[in-house]
Amino acid sequence: MSAHIYQMPKNAMQSGKARVQTWVLEFEPTEAKRADPLMGWAGSGDTMQQLRLTFPSIDAAKAYAERVGIAYHVTLPAPKTLKIQAYADNFR
């Protein structure tokens, strides 16, 4: 059983920074999804895919994974770059 730890990305529809500092631990799928013959919905018998644990910091997420004995890998967020421009630059 392995897990993926990453930081919540900012929603494209929000301008604030709410829930951006939250770190998420999600379990990797252990079996492939298959289509249900009656409804056609995709599903599997792996119930660990339904879990999504949130932590206030990356250290807390790592400590939990190590305490429970879960192998994990961390994806760090890309560095943010600001493109500074002025309104007057539109008329140059």
Side-chain angles (χ1 to χ4, degrees):
M1 178 169 41
S2 66
H4 179 214
I5 298 173
Y6 63 94
Q7 191 174 20
M8 281 291 273
K10 189 176 94 165
N11 186 351
M13 300 301 293
Q14 79 185 64
S15 60
K17 302 220 187 267
R19 297 187 337 171
V20 175
Q21 286 78 23
T22 304
W23 288 85
V24 178
L25 184 140
E26 287 184 344
F27 291 94
E28 299 289 336
T30 57
E31 64 180 55
K33 292 189 177 187
R34 57 189 181 280
D36 181 40
L38 179 62
M39 299 296 289
W41 296 340
S44 71
D46 183 20
T47 58
M48 295 302 280
Q49 289 181 357
Q50 299 172 6
L51 288 179
R52 185 180 206 186
L53 304 174
T54 58
F55 297 93
S57 68
I58 188 171
D59 296 327
K62 286 181 181 180
Y64 173 79
E66 290 170 358
R67 185 175 68 239
V68 178
I70 300 169
Y72 63 90
H73 64 278
V74 178
T75 303
L76 296 174
K80 295 177 175 70
T81 58
L82 295 175
K83 182 178 178 185
I84 306 297
Q85 59 185 2
Y87 179 70
D89 293 341
N90 294 334
F91 303 104
R92 286 189 180 170

